[in-house]
Amino acid sequence: MQEVSTIGLDIAKSVFQVHGVDSEGQVVLRKRLPRGKVLAFFADLPPCLVGIEACPTAHHWSRELTKLGHTIGMMPATYVKAYVKRNKNDANDAEAICEAVQRPNMRFVPIKSKECQAALMLHRSRQLLIKQRTMLSNAIRAYLAEFGIVAPTGRRGLLKLLETIEGLDDLGVPPAAWICLMSFVDQYQHTHREITRLEQCIQAWHRSNELSRRLEEIPGIGPIVATAIVGSIPDAKVFPSGRAMAAWIGLVPQQNSSGGKERLGGITKQGSRHLRWLLVAGAMAVIRYHKQAGFKTRPWLAKLIERKPTKVAAVALANRIARMAWVVMARGERYRDPMQPIV
C-alpha cells in the first residue's frame, strides 16, 4: 500500500470512518474504526493532513491527533457538503472531507484549547439556566394569576412578591395549588443561586485572562461579552480584518447581488448566535447610556439614530464593536477612546 498523505475523518459517537489518499490523489485507504481504536490507528500512520468537520467534539480529536504529529484541517460542515457525492453516508462523508481539506481556498476553524471550551461551557450553562428560570417565572405568574394575584412587571417584581408571600390563608390559594407553587418557587430560587454562582465563575475566569481584561475596556463589552469572545475566537489572526470577523459573527448585510447590481438585505446571522446577541445587547447598553448623556461624546451615534431605528443602529454599533475587538486581539493593542487625545 502506498503511503497515505491526506485523510478524511468522519467522526461520530461510536463509529469513525476513514478515507485516505496518497500524494497523487489515489484512494489507498477506506476503513471503519470503533471509538477505542482511533488513536491507536493514527499512531501507526506517518504524519499526514487530517480533515475533520467542525463540531464540539472535533476539537478534542484535533488536539489528540495533533499530539501524534498530524496536521489537522477542521472545516465547517456547510463547506464540506458541496463535495458529497449522491447519497449521504459515512463513507461518502469521509471522502468529501478528504476532498475538501485539500482545496487551497478552504477556510479552516482554529482548534480551541480546553480552557476556551471550559469558558464557553460556563456561558452555555448560564444560558440554559436563564431559560429555565424564565420558564419557572412564567409558570409562577400564570398560576398566581388564576387566583387573582398579579406580580409586578420584571424579575424584581416577581422576587418582591415571593418575599411577601407568608401562607395560603393570606392569599386564598387552595392547599393543592399551594404545593405546586412552592415547588416552583423552590426551583426558581435554586436556579437563581446557580446562575449567580456561574456568573461568579465567569468573573473569576475574566480576571485571570489578560486578553479578556483588555477587551473589557471597549465600550459595550463587559466581563460576560469579553469571556465569550475569547472563548469563541482563540486566534483572531485567522481573520484578515475586523470586517471579516464581524462577518463571521453574522453582523454584516446579506448579499443577493447579480449582474453588477448590489442588493443588500438584513444581517446574515451566521456564526455564534449567543455571541452576536451579547454584542447587540452591549451596543444597546451603550446607546441607552449616551441617550441619557445627550450624545456629548458620540455625535456620530446620534446622527446614526436620527437616520435609523434604534435596533438597526445597535446592530451597526455591534459591528463596530466587533471590529474594535479584532484590533485588540489580533494586534495586541489596547482600546483608545477616539474622543480623547493620544498622550
Side-chain angles (χ1 to χ4, degrees):
M1 183 179 70
Q2 297 181 6
E3 185 172 311
V4 181
S5 63
T6 306
I7 287 179
L9 177 63
D10 183 51
I11 62 177
K13 181 179 180 180
S14 302
V15 179
F16 292 63
Q17 182 71 38
V18 176
H19 183 94
V21 298
D22 59 17
S23 57
E24 297 180 355
Q26 298 296 322
V27 179
V28 295
L29 176 63
R30 288 192 181 98
K31 192 176 184 66
R32 287 171 64 90
L33 295 171
R35 180 185 181 89
K37 296 183 179 180
V38 173
L39 294 180
F41 173 79
F42 278 93
D44 294 334
L45 290 178
C48 57
L49 174 63
V50 181
I52 303 176
E53 284 184 332
C55 67
T57 58
H59 295 276
H60 162 73
W61 290 108
S62 297
R63 290 192 298 265
E64 295 300 319
L65 294 180
T66 300
K67 294 177 183 178
L68 297 176
H70 299 287
T71 302
I72 307 302
M74 191 160 46
M75 304 161 289
T78 53
Y79 293 173
V80 178
K81 186 176 178 61
Y83 297 93
V84 177
K85 298 176 182 177
R86 291 186 177 272
N87 299 324
K88 182 188 184 315
N89 54 55
D90 292 345
N92 288 345
D93 286 348
E95 182 180 357
I97 294 170
C98 185
E99 179 69 24
V101 76
Q102 300 178 71
R103 298 303 93 199
N105 60 345
M106 178 56 64
R107 297 177 180 177
F108 296 102
V109 178
I111 302 172
K112 290 185 175 66
S113 64
K114 292 182 179 180
E115 290 73 20
C116 288
Q117 287 190 293
L120 291 180
M121 186 178 295
L122 286 173
H123 280 272
R124 295 191 188 103
S125 301
R126 175 177 173 268
Q127 279 300 108
L128 177 60
L129 292 178
I130 287 176
K131 290 181 180 179
Q132 293 177 351
R133 183 178 65 183
T134 302
M135 294 171 62
L136 291 168
S137 173
N138 291 338
I140 293 171
R141 287 179 180 274
Y143 288 134
L144 287 175
E146 293 184 12
F147 299 100
I149 304 168
V150 179
T153 305
R155 183 162 56 89
R156 293 182 180 178
L158 179 62
L159 291 174
K160 185 177 180 180
L161 175 65
L162 296 180
E163 291 174 357
T164 58
I165 292 178
E166 295 182 357
L168 57 89
D169 295 334
D170 299 331
L171 300 175
V173 178
W178 183 258
I179 293 174
C180 298
L181 284 171
M182 286 300 97
S183 175
F184 285 137
V185 169
D186 291 342
Q187 291 184 47
Y188 180 92
Q189 294 174 342
H190 175 72
T191 304
H192 182 70
R193 289 193 298 270
E194 289 300 310
I195 292 172
T196 303
R197 187 168 67 90
L198 288 178
E199 289 176 347
Q200 292 172 351
C201 293
I202 293 175
Q203 288 280 357
W205 196 90
H206 166 71
R207 290 192 296 269
S208 66
N209 189 281
E210 188 269 340
L211 177 57
S212 182
R213 294 197 304 271
R214 280 196 286 119
L215 286 174
E216 189 186 15
E217 299 173 0
I218 302 174
I221 293 183
I224 299 292
V225 185
T227 52
I229 293 175
V230 174
S232 302
I233 307 172
D235 183 13
K237 293 181 180 179
V238 299
F239 301 105
S241 64
R243 179 178 176 82
M245 191 174 91
W248 175 78
I249 298 173
L251 291 170
V252 297
Q254 187 171 7
Q255 291 193 33
N256 188 21
S257 304
S258 179
K261 295 182 179 179
E262 292 189 0
R263 297 181 179 88
L264 302 180
I267 59 174
T268 60
K269 297 184 179 180
Q270 300 294 319
S272 171
R273 180 179 181 182
H274 176 63
L275 183 56
R276 183 172 59 254
W277 173 77
L278 287 176
L279 288 170
V280 174
M284 286 293 295
V286 173
I287 291 174
R288 285 195 299 269
Y289 172 80
H290 286 291
K291 275 186 176 180
Q292 296 173 359
F295 295 99
K296 296 179 181 178
T297 59
R298 294 291 188 277
W300 66 269
L301 188 56
K303 294 179 181 179
L304 179 62
I305 292 178
E306 288 177 0
R307 294 183 286 109
K308 299 291 184 180
T310 301
K311 291 186 177 181
V312 175
V315 173
L317 180 57
N319 181 297
R320 189 181 181 118
I321 292 172
R323 295 165 75 166
M324 289 188 289
W326 177 84
V327 174
V328 172
M329 298 174 70
R331 299 179 182 174
E333 300 181 8
R334 302 191 79 92
Y335 172 75
R336 297 190 298 268
D337 193 330
M339 302 305 296
Q340 295 180 354
I342 301 176
V343 180

